[in-house]
């Protein structure tokens, strides 16, 4: 059950990244909504990396306990 939650969080992170890429204005990247979208994209990438690390660590712990 927890594995499905982790995959759902990863999927939602990808969806958030996809949505915020459409908001980016590459001519004014650090201003107004583009700056906020850029921060959210970086935060979503961090969430995806952390969930990946969690999946790997759970797999290692499962093999270690066997």
């Amino acid at each position: 059950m927890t594995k499905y939650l982790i995959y759902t969080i990863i999927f939602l992170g990808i969806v958030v990244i996809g949505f915020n890429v459409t908001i980016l204005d590459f001519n004014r990247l650090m201003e107004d909504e583009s700056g906020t979208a850029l921060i959210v994209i970086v935060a979503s990438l961090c969430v995806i990396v952390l969930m990946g690390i969690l999946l790997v660590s759970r797999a290692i712990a499962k093999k270690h306990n066997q």
Side-chain angles (χ1 to χ4, degrees):
M1 173 97 178
T2 308
K3 183 165 66 169
Y4 295 119
L5 178 65
I6 293 171
Y7 285 125
T8 303
I9 292 171
I10 290 172
F11 175 73
L12 289 175
I14 293 169
V15 169
V16 168
I17 289 171
F19 174 73
N20 282 302
V21 165
T22 62
I23 296 175
L24 287 177
D25 181 13
F26 291 103
N27 294 326
R28 296 178 299 173
L29 196 57
M30 297 303 282
E31 297 178 9
D32 298 330
E33 289 183 0
S34 290
T36 304
L38 192 62
I39 291 169
V40 171
I41 288 171
V42 170
S44 297
L45 287 172
C46 290
V47 167
I48 292 171
V49 168
L50 288 173
M51 292 298 113
I53 291 171
L54 182 61
L55 281 172
V56 170
S57 68
R58 289 174 59 97
I60 291 171
K62 186 177 178 180
K63 286 185 180 184
H64 180 68
N65 289 335
Q66 287 181 355

